[in-house]
PDB file of all heavy atoms in Angstrom:
ATOM      1  N   GLY A 227     -51.877 -73.258  -6.413  1.00  0.00           N
ATOM      2  CA  GLY A 227     -51.435 -74.613  -6.694  1.00  0.00           C
ATOM      3  C   GLY A 227     -50.532 -74.736  -7.895  1.00  0.00           C
ATOM      4  O   GLY A 227     -50.475 -75.793  -8.534  1.00  0.00           O
ATOM      5  N   THR A 228     -49.800 -73.648  -8.220  1.00  0.00           N
ATOM      6  CA  THR A 228     -48.900 -73.675  -9.365  1.00  0.00           C
ATOM      7  C   THR A 228     -47.555 -73.090  -8.949  1.00  0.00           C
ATOM      8  O   THR A 228     -47.202 -73.127  -7.768  1.00  0.00           O
ATOM      9  CB  THR A 228     -49.527 -72.916 -10.557  1.00  0.00           C
ATOM     10  OG1 THR A 228     -48.671 -73.055 -11.699  1.00  0.00           O
ATOM     11  CG2 THR A 228     -49.782 -71.471 -10.260  1.00  0.00           C
ATOM     12  N   THR A 229     -46.789 -72.565  -9.903  1.00  0.00           N
ATOM     13  CA  THR A 229     -45.480 -71.995  -9.605  1.00  0.00           C
ATOM     14  C   THR A 229     -45.391 -70.559 -10.110  1.00  0.00           C
ATOM     15  O   THR A 229     -46.172 -70.141 -10.974  1.00  0.00           O
ATOM     16  CB  THR A 229     -44.353 -72.810 -10.265  1.00  0.00           C
ATOM     17  OG1 THR A 229     -44.461 -72.681 -11.691  1.00  0.00           O
ATOM     18  CG2 THR A 229     -44.444 -74.276  -9.864  1.00  0.00           C
ATOM     19  N   GLN A 230     -44.417 -69.831  -9.581  1.00  0.00           N
ATOM     20  CA  GLN A 230     -44.203 -68.448 -10.027  1.00  0.00           C
ATOM     21  C   GLN A 230     -43.955 -68.380 -11.533  1.00  0.00           C
ATOM     22  O   GLN A 230     -44.412 -67.447 -12.206  1.00  0.00           O
ATOM     23  CB  GLN A 230     -43.003 -67.853  -9.301  1.00  0.00           C
ATOM     24  CG  GLN A 230     -43.164 -67.707  -7.806  1.00  0.00           C
ATOM     25  CD  GLN A 230     -41.939 -67.053  -7.190  1.00  0.00           C
ATOM     26  OE1 GLN A 230     -41.633 -65.886  -7.475  1.00  0.00           O
ATOM     27  NE2 GLN A 230     -41.224 -67.800  -6.357  1.00  0.00           N
ATOM     28  N   LYS A 231     -43.231 -69.353 -12.044  1.00  0.00           N
ATOM     29  CA  LYS A 231     -42.895 -69.361 -13.469  1.00  0.00           C
ATOM     30  C   LYS A 231     -44.148 -69.299 -14.336  1.00  0.00           C
ATOM     31  O   LYS A 231     -44.197 -68.574 -15.333  1.00  0.00           O
ATOM     32  CB  LYS A 231     -42.095 -70.623 -13.797  1.00  0.00           C
ATOM     33  CG  LYS A 231     -41.786 -70.802 -15.271  1.00  0.00           C
ATOM     34  CD  LYS A 231     -41.045 -72.115 -15.505  1.00  0.00           C
ATOM     35  CE  LYS A 231     -40.791 -72.336 -16.996  1.00  0.00           C
ATOM     36  NZ  LYS A 231     -40.081 -73.625 -17.235  1.00  0.00           N
ATOM     37  N   HIS A 232     -45.174 -70.020 -13.940  1.00  0.00           N
ATOM     38  CA  HIS A 232     -46.376 -70.062 -14.755  1.00  0.00           C
ATOM     39  C   HIS A 232     -47.275 -68.846 -14.546  1.00  0.00           C
ATOM     40  O   HIS A 232     -48.096 -68.525 -15.421  1.00  0.00           O
ATOM     41  CB  HIS A 232     -47.147 -71.351 -14.475  1.00  0.00           C
ATOM     42  CG  HIS A 232     -46.392 -72.576 -14.879  1.00  0.00           C
ATOM     43  ND1 HIS A 232     -45.871 -73.461 -13.959  1.00  0.00           N
ATOM     44  CD2 HIS A 232     -46.028 -73.036 -16.099  1.00  0.00           C
ATOM     45  CE1 HIS A 232     -45.235 -74.424 -14.612  1.00  0.00           C
ATOM     46  NE2 HIS A 232     -45.313 -74.184 -15.902  1.00  0.00           N
ATOM     47  N   LEU A 233     -47.125 -68.176 -13.423  1.00  0.00           N
ATOM     48  CA  LEU A 233     -47.919 -66.969 -13.186  1.00  0.00           C
ATOM     49  C   LEU A 233     -47.297 -65.718 -13.804  1.00  0.00           C
ATOM     50  O   LEU A 233     -47.992 -64.739 -14.063  1.00  0.00           O
ATOM     51  CB  LEU A 233     -48.104 -66.732 -11.683  1.00  0.00           C
ATOM     52  CG  LEU A 233     -49.027 -67.676 -10.913  1.00  0.00           C
ATOM     53  CD1 LEU A 233     -49.254 -67.138  -9.508  1.00  0.00           C
ATOM     54  CD2 LEU A 233     -50.355 -67.869 -11.628  1.00  0.00           C
ATOM     55  N   ARG A 234     -45.991 -65.762 -14.014  1.00  0.00           N
ATOM     56  CA  ARG A 234     -45.284 -64.563 -14.467  1.00  0.00           C
ATOM     57  C   ARG A 234     -45.898 -63.936 -15.725  1.00  0.00           C
ATOM     58  O   ARG A 234     -46.083 -62.718 -15.787  1.00  0.00           O
ATOM     59  CB  ARG A 234     -43.804 -64.894 -14.698  1.00  0.00           C
ATOM     60  CG  ARG A 234     -42.905 -63.664 -14.794  1.00  0.00           C
ATOM     61  CD  ARG A 234     -41.444 -64.061 -14.754  1.00  0.00           C
ATOM     62  NE  ARG A 234     -41.078 -64.657 -13.483  1.00  0.00           N
ATOM     63  CZ  ARG A 234     -40.521 -65.865 -13.339  1.00  0.00           C
ATOM     64  NH1 ARG A 234     -40.280 -66.608 -14.412  1.00  0.00           N
ATOM     65  NH2 ARG A 234     -40.200 -66.318 -12.154  1.00  0.00           N
ATOM     66  N   PRO A 235     -46.260 -64.699 -16.762  1.00  0.00           N
ATOM     67  CA  PRO A 235     -46.818 -64.074 -17.976  1.00  0.00           C
ATOM     68  C   PRO A 235     -48.166 -63.397 -17.761  1.00  0.00           C
ATOM     69  O   PRO A 235     -48.560 -62.545 -18.565  1.00  0.00           O
ATOM     70  CB  PRO A 235     -46.945 -65.255 -18.947  1.00  0.00           C
ATOM     71  CG  PRO A 235     -46.004 -66.285 -18.444  1.00  0.00           C
ATOM     72  CD  PRO A 235     -46.038 -66.142 -16.955  1.00  0.00           C
ATOM     73  N   ILE A 236     -48.896 -63.777 -16.708  1.00  0.00           N
ATOM     74  CA  ILE A 236     -50.224 -63.183 -16.497  1.00  0.00           C
ATOM     75  C   ILE A 236     -50.267 -62.333 -15.228  1.00  0.00           C
ATOM     76  O   ILE A 236     -51.343 -61.963 -14.764  1.00  0.00           O
ATOM     77  CB  ILE A 236     -51.312 -64.271 -16.433  1.00  0.00           C
ATOM     78  CG1 ILE A 236     -51.036 -65.243 -15.282  1.00  0.00           C
ATOM     79  CG2 ILE A 236     -51.425 -65.008 -17.757  1.00  0.00           C
ATOM     80  CD1 ILE A 236     -52.221 -66.133 -14.949  1.00  0.00           C
ATOM     81  N   TRP A 237     -49.099 -62.023 -14.672  1.00  0.00           N
ATOM     82  CA  TRP A 237     -49.047 -61.189 -13.467  1.00  0.00           C
ATOM     83  C   TRP A 237     -49.651 -59.820 -13.808  1.00  0.00           C
ATOM     84  O   TRP A 237     -49.260 -59.200 -14.795  1.00  0.00           O
ATOM     85  CB  TRP A 237     -47.613 -61.050 -12.992  1.00  0.00           C
ATOM     86  CG  TRP A 237     -47.449 -60.434 -11.632  1.00  0.00           C
ATOM     87  CD1 TRP A 237     -46.951 -59.196 -11.362  1.00  0.00           C
ATOM     88  CD2 TRP A 237     -47.759 -61.024 -10.365  1.00  0.00           C
ATOM     89  NE1 TRP A 237     -46.932 -58.977 -10.004  1.00  0.00           N
ATOM     90  CE2 TRP A 237     -47.428 -60.085  -9.366  1.00  0.00           C
ATOM     91  CE3 TRP A 237     -48.291 -62.254  -9.980  1.00  0.00           C
ATOM     92  CZ2 TRP A 237     -47.607 -60.337  -7.997  1.00  0.00           C
ATOM     93  CZ3 TRP A 237     -48.475 -62.506  -8.620  1.00  0.00           C
ATOM     94  CH2 TRP A 237     -48.131 -61.558  -7.648  1.00  0.00           C
ATOM     95  N   PRO A 238     -50.625 -59.327 -13.035  1.00  0.00           N
ATOM     96  CA  PRO A 238     -51.308 -58.067 -13.383  1.00  0.00           C
ATOM     97  C   PRO A 238     -50.353 -56.882 -13.476  1.00  0.00           C
ATOM     98  O   PRO A 238     -49.326 -56.827 -12.783  1.00  0.00           O
ATOM     99  CB  PRO A 238     -52.302 -57.885 -12.227  1.00  0.00           C
ATOM    100  CG  PRO A 238     -52.513 -59.263 -11.680  1.00  0.00           C
ATOM    101  CD  PRO A 238     -51.198 -59.965 -11.832  1.00  0.00           C
ATOM    102  N   ASP A 239     -50.701 -55.932 -14.337  1.00  0.00           N
ATOM    103  CA  ASP A 239     -49.891 -54.729 -14.510  1.00  0.00           C
ATOM    104  C   ASP A 239     -50.247 -53.635 -13.500  1.00  0.00           C
ATOM    105  O   ASP A 239     -49.381 -52.867 -13.081  1.00  0.00           O
ATOM    106  CB  ASP A 239     -50.073 -54.163 -15.929  1.00  0.00           C
ATOM    107  CG  ASP A 239     -49.531 -55.109 -16.990  1.00  0.00           C
ATOM    108  OD1 ASP A 239     -48.503 -55.757 -16.730  1.00  0.00           O
ATOM    109  OD2 ASP A 239     -50.149 -55.183 -18.068  1.00  0.00           O
ATOM    110  N   ASP A 240     -51.508 -53.574 -13.132  1.00  0.00           N
ATOM    111  CA  ASP A 240     -51.994 -52.467 -12.312  1.00  0.00           C
ATOM    112  C   ASP A 240     -51.772 -52.744 -10.823  1.00  0.00           C
ATOM    113  O   ASP A 240     -52.711 -52.819 -10.025  1.00  0.00           O
ATOM    114  CB  ASP A 240     -53.482 -52.226 -12.592  1.00  0.00           C
ATOM    115  CG  ASP A 240     -53.972 -50.921 -11.975  1.00  0.00           C
ATOM    116  OD1 ASP A 240     -53.129 -50.058 -11.686  1.00  0.00           O
ATOM    117  OD2 ASP A 240     -55.194 -50.796 -11.770  1.00  0.00           O
ATOM    118  N   LEU A 241     -50.496 -52.900 -10.447  1.00  0.00           N
ATOM    119  CA  LEU A 241     -50.142 -53.183  -9.059  1.00  0.00           C
ATOM    120  C   LEU A 241     -49.190 -52.121  -8.528  1.00  0.00           C
ATOM    121  O   LEU A 241     -48.486 -51.461  -9.303  1.00  0.00           O
ATOM    122  CB  LEU A 241     -49.482 -54.560  -8.941  1.00  0.00           C
ATOM    123  CG  LEU A 241     -50.287 -55.767  -9.426  1.00  0.00           C
ATOM    124  CD1 LEU A 241     -49.454 -57.034  -9.260  1.00  0.00           C
ATOM    125  CD2 LEU A 241     -51.606 -55.885  -8.696  1.00  0.00           C
ATOM    126  N   VAL A 242     -49.175 -52.005  -7.227  1.00  0.00           N
ATOM    127  CA  VAL A 242     -48.256 -51.082  -6.554  1.00  0.00           C
ATOM    128  C   VAL A 242     -47.300 -51.897  -5.698  1.00  0.00           C
ATOM    129  O   VAL A 242     -47.732 -52.788  -4.948  1.00  0.00           O
ATOM    130  CB  VAL A 242     -49.035 -50.078  -5.674  1.00  0.00           C
ATOM    131  CG1 VAL A 242     -48.068 -49.217  -4.864  1.00  0.00           C
ATOM    132  CG2 VAL A 242     -49.931 -49.207  -6.540  1.00  0.00           C
TER     133      VAL A 242
END
Side-chain angles (χ1 to χ4, degrees):
T228 185
T229 66
Q230 296 182 65
K231 175 183 177 181
H232 296 110
L233 289 189
R234 196 169 295 124
I236 60 166
W237 191 251
D239 294 324
D240 191 20
L241 302 179
V242 174

